């Protein structure tokens, strides 16, 4: 038998269709992104806003009110930190966190923007915006700071927690 035939002989059944070739397993399907519902569009924004302020007053805690949207990765990133066990462990005794949907204000399709106006912002240009309001109803962080969270998903959890620690010292 020639060298070529000896080499090809074991492959003949496959080449002739007598044996089905073994195929590599297919890679697993990509995981579906986790959907979030931090900012429910169907919620009654004014009632949620008033409830957050009332809860802060009754509990003696400051209200953290985040205006954002579930479509916005920065809103989701900030919400993820504010609902994390680390945040709750360190800050639950000082803050009541509330999320309010604002739609897509950048394109003129906003909602609950009058609530942002109650906190001193005339026009919300990006999401999220985060306000900290004392139990007495006074805004604690500056307007400039409140609207500076458009890069929240780029900030680490450590940076966000440190922001709250610094706020506590002021």
């Amino acid at each position: 038998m020639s060298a070529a035939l000896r080499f090809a002989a074991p492959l003949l059944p496959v080449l002739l269709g007598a044996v089905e070739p073994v195929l590599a397993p297919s890679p697993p399907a990509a995981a579906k992104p986790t959907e979030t519902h931090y900012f429910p569009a169907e919620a009654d924004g004014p009632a949620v806003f008033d409830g957050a302020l009332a809860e802060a007053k009754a509990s003696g805690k400051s209200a953290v009110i985040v205006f954002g949207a579930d479509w916005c990765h920065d809103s989701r990133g900030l919400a993820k930190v504010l609902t994390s066990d680390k945040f709750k462990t360190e800050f639950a005794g000082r803050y009541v966190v509330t999320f309010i949907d604002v739609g897509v204000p950048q394109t003129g399709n906003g909602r609950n923007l009058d609530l942002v106006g109650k906190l001193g912002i005339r026009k919300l240009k990006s999401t999220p915006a985060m306000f900290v309001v004392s139990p007495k109803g006074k805004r604690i962080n500056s307007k400039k700071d409140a609207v500076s969270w458009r890069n929240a998903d780029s900030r680490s959890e450590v940076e966000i927690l440190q922001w709250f620690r610094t706020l506590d010292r002021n």
Side-chain angles (χ1 to χ4, degrees), residues 14-129:
V14 172
L15 294 173
L16 299 174
V19 176
E20 298 229 3
V22 177
L23 300 175
S26 300
K32 216 177 179 185
T34 305
E35 292 186 28
T36 60
H37 204 57
Y38 296 113
F39 302 89
E42 68 279 359
D44 180 349
V48 171
F49 181 81
D50 292 342
L53 296 178
E55 183 178 354
K57 184 177 183 178
S59 68
K61 299 176 184 179
S62 293
V64 175
I65 304 174
V66 182
F67 293 92
D70 283 316
W71 61 263
C72 171
H73 71 281
D74 288 305
S75 296
R76 290 189 317 267
L78 181 58
K80 183 178 177 183
V81 173
L82 298 180
T83 58
S84 71
D85 289 338
K86 283 185 180 182
F87 182 87
K88 290 175 186 176
T89 298
E90 188 169 347
F91 298 108
R94 293 179 287 225
Y95 298 105
V96 174
V97 180
T98 301
F99 303 101
I100 298 176
D101 179 70
V102 290
V104 190
Q106 300 89 328
T107 64
N109 295 311
R111 65 174 70 83
N112 297 315
L113 299 178
D114 56 323
L115 303 175
V116 178
K118 289 182 178 184
L119 294 169
I121 303 298
R122 288 187 206 154
K123 185 174 181 180
L124 188 62
K125 297 177 184 175
S126 62
T127 52

Side-chain angles (χ1 to χ4, degrees), residues 118-166:
K118 289 182 178 184
L119 294 169
I121 303 298
R122 288 187 206 154
K123 185 174 181 180
L124 188 62
K125 297 177 184 175
S126 62
T127 52
M130 180 170 64
F131 298 86
V132 181
V133 181
S134 76
K136 294 182 180 182
K138 182 181 181 222
R139 184 176 29 81
I140 295 172
N141 60 331
S142 71
K143 289 188 249 184
K144 183 178 179 181
D145 176 74
V147 297
S148 72
W149 291 90
R150 65 182 260 171
N151 68 346
D153 196 44
S154 299
R155 299 183 193 190
S156 70
E157 180 180 54
V158 170
E159 289 174 287
I160 295 170
L161 296 176
Q162 186 57 41
W163 183 88
F164 278 94
R165 290 180 195 115
T166 301

